[in-house]
Amino acid sequence: MRGDRTDLNGPFLAREALRLGLEPARIAIVGDAPAELEATLRDALAADAVLVSGGLGPTHDDRTVELVAKALGVGLRVDPELEQEIEAVSRSAATRLKRDYADLHPA
């Protein structure tokens, strides 16, 4: 977004889409501003398929899921089993990054 990091997610997702027989049409890199992200998601809804990825991993201020739901006009709910799976992944990431899991939990 600021030019100090290379976008690896977009090219990876484009290659995977091609592998699955999908023809990528556009890659959009969007910052954390909710209005910008929501507008980009609403534009993307015209496509047959939309692949969305995060940036630097789970952060407490990531609003991607919330804004995808808003753009689609659907609500959110927590699935307890999936929440446990995500917690296991987050705990593993915290250990690997030598960070306290409490830093990742809100995300």
Side-chain angles (χ1 to χ4, degrees), residues 17 36 50 52 56:
E36 182 183 358
V50 178
V52 178
L56 301 176

Side-chain angles (χ1 to χ4, degrees), residues 1-3 5-11 26-32 36-37 40 53-55:
M1 295 176 300
R2 292 177 294 211
R5 288 194 170 86
T6 301
D7 172 29
L8 300 176
N9 293 339
R26 180 172 70 162
I27 295 174
I29 301 170
V30 183
D32 291 331
E36 182 183 358
L37 181 53
T40 301
S53 73

Side-chain angles (χ1 to χ4, degrees), residues 14-28:
R15 283 190 306 275
E16 290 300 300
L18 281 170
R19 190 177 66 75
L20 296 170
L22 301 171
E23 183 67 37
R26 180 172 70 162
I27 295 174

Side-chain angles (χ1 to χ4, degrees), residues 54-62 86 89-90 93-94 96-97 99 103-107:
L56 301 176
T59 58
H60 70 282
D61 61 346
D62 186 349
I86 293 170
V89 171
S90 295
R96 187 177 68 252
L97 297 170
R99 289 182 56 189
D103 293 345
L104 301 178
H105 180 67

